[in-house]
């Protein structure tokens, strides 16, 4: 028996695996904001490696298994390809690697309309938390565009980021009407995106609020909207955490990475909103939530390893 993964471990990954990149990437962003640079860079390397693996799988399916590719491109989880790319790009921008961040923005922008159109065509009633991934992917584009606009002083890009921000809010509202609220007590992990999407909206809003492009009433409105979004995401956090404690779901599921991502996103949103909004207590709150997210990442990774070892022990000779 071998416990080492074979080639099929990555060629058989579902689109939902993109949430692992999103979770690791946003934790790297949060660690950078709190000054833990060495650990942040380690997380960035891990996120980048995972992104390359998923990009290779995406390309292999595109050219080698078109049937499976078309089937998976119609599911909301396919949008994790866009969201993961924008999160990595935002971290690159933090690091000062603006050219690499711009390349990822172009790549994500090319993928976004096609995947979003396919997903919206196949919407249905009573969807799981993945329904919010249209909002997440769109706000990811807004976040990355706003980050690049701020770093390179590009006013047109800042305006494009604002357009993405507004569209993302509309997509959130549309997804909320299709979200099956029963997922809160029975979801496999991606139900947390209901709150995490709002946290990403707040994070993108904080980047726009900090931009010198928006002044006067526009700045005041952005600040107010961002704070409302952050408050709503914290309400979701409390509700979802209470539901987890009341109805524990300890079994590993790949969709649990879509739990870690909102945990990290809410923490990062608090850290990012604190300065432009002028609310100092959000920073210590964000730091506490960040270490909760790091702990959740470690637990989920341990559960992943344990599930692989269990699967390997049941397949002698592999």
């Amino acid at each position: 028996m071998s416990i080492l993964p074979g080639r099929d471990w990555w060629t058989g990954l579902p689109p939902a695996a993109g949430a692992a990149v999103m979770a690791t990437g946003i934790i790297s962003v949060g660690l950078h904001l709190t000054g833990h640079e060495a650990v942040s860079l380690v997380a960035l390397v891990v996120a980048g490696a995972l992104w390359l693996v998923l990009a290779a799988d995406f390309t292999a399916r595109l050219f080698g298994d078109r049937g499976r590719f078309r089937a998976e491109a119609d599911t909301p989880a396919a949008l994790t390809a866009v969201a993961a790319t924008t999160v990595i790009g935002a971290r690159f921008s933090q690091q000062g690697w603006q050219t690499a961040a711009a390349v990822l923005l172009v790549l994500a922008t090319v993928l976004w309309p096609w995947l979003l159109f396919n997903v919206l065509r196949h919407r249905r009633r009573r969807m799981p938390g993945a329904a919010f991934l249209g909002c997440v992917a769109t706000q990811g584009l807004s976040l990355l565009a706003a980050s690049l606009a701020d770093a390179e002083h590009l006013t047109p890009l800042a305006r494009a980021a604002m357009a993405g921000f507004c569209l993302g809010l509309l997509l959130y509202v549309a997804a909320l009407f299709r979200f099956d609220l029963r997922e809160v007590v029975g979801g496999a992990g991606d139900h947390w995106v209901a709150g995490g999407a709002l946290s990403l909206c707040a994070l993108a809003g904080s980047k726009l609020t900090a931009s010198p492009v928006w002044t006067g009433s526009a700045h005041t409105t952005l600040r107010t909207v961002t704070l409302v979004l952050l408050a709503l995401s914290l309400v979701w956090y409390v509700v979802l955490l209470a539901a987890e404690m009341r109805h524990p779901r300890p079994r590993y599921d790949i969709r649990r990475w879509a739990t870690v991502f909102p945990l990290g996103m809410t923490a990062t949103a608090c850290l990012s909103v604190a300065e432009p909004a002028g609310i100092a207590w959000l920073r210590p709150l964000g730091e506490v939530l960040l270490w909760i997210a790091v702990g959740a990442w470690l637990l989920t990774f341990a559960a992943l390893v344990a599930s692989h070892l269990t699967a390997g022990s049941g397949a002698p000779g592999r």
Side-chain angles (χ1 to χ4, degrees), residues 23-41:
T24 310
I26 200 60
I27 285 175
S28 177
V29 171
L31 289 168
H32 175 81
L33 289 174
T34 54
H36 298 88
E37 195 63 26
V39 185
S40 174
L41 288 173

Side-chain angles (χ1 to χ4, degrees), residues 294-310:
V294 171
W297 191 99
L298 292 172
L299 285 172
T300 305
F301 180 74
L304 168 64
V305 173
S307 68
H308 174 71
L309 292 176
T310 301

Side-chain angles (χ1 to χ4, degrees), residues 177-266:
F177 282 106
R178 294 180 179 272
F179 177 54
D180 187 352
L181 287 174
R182 293 175 298 182
E183 290 285 305
V184 172
V185 296
D190 60 350
H191 57 291
W192 276 81
V193 182
L198 282 179
S199 297
L200 180 50
C201 292
L203 179 57
S206 73
K207 287 293 182 182
L208 291 167
T209 302
S211 171
V213 173
W214 314 107
T215 58
S217 60
H219 178 272
T220 302
T221 302
L222 260 176
R223 179 182 181 275
T224 302
V225 170
T226 298
L227 288 174
V228 169
L229 291 169
L230 181 60
L232 290 174
S233 74
L234 289 171
V235 170
W236 264 117
Y237 192 109
V238 172
V239 170
L240 292 166
L241 183 60
E244 291 279 356
M245 296 176 67
R246 180 68 178 82
H247 305 278
R249 285 147 271 183
R251 187 173 181 178
Y252 174 75
D253 188 294
I254 196 168
R255 287 167 290 183
R256 268 304 179 193
W257 290 107
T259 298
V260 181
F261 171 67
L263 292 174
M265 183 57 72
T266 304

Side-chain angles (χ1 to χ4, degrees), residues 104-169:
L104 292 182
L105 176 60
V106 171
L107 177 59
T109 303
V110 169
L111 290 173
W112 171 74
W114 171 59
L115 290 175
L116 182 62
F117 176 73
N118 281 341
V119 168
L120 292 180
R121 280 196 310 127
H122 293 85
R123 288 182 302 174
R124 64 182 191 277
R125 297 185 63 82
R126 293 187 175 181
M127 295 182 67
F132 295 97
L133 286 172
C135 168
V136 170
T138 306
Q139 291 292 3
L141 286 171
S142 176
L143 170 64
L144 180 49
S147 299
L148 281 168
D150 183 55
E152 300 294 323
H153 309 290
L154 300 172
T155 299
L157 191 57
R159 298 189 186 281
M162 175 63 82
F165 176 73
C166 295
L167 177 58
L169 293 180

Side-chain angles (χ1 to χ4, degrees), residues 57-110:
D57 185 30
F58 185 93
T59 305
R61 282 183 280 122
L62 175 61
F63 294 104
D65 191 350
R66 297 300 295 273
R68 177 188 167 198
F69 182 84
R70 285 192 294 268
E72 292 182 345
D74 294 340
T75 64
L79 286 165
T80 61
V82 175
T85 301
T86 60
V87 170
I88 295 292
R91 181 63 184 90
F92 281 180
S93 182
Q94 273 188 327
Q95 201 64 28
W97 303 337
Q98 307 306 338
T99 301
V103 170
L104 292 182
L105 176 60
V106 171
L107 177 59
T109 303
V110 169

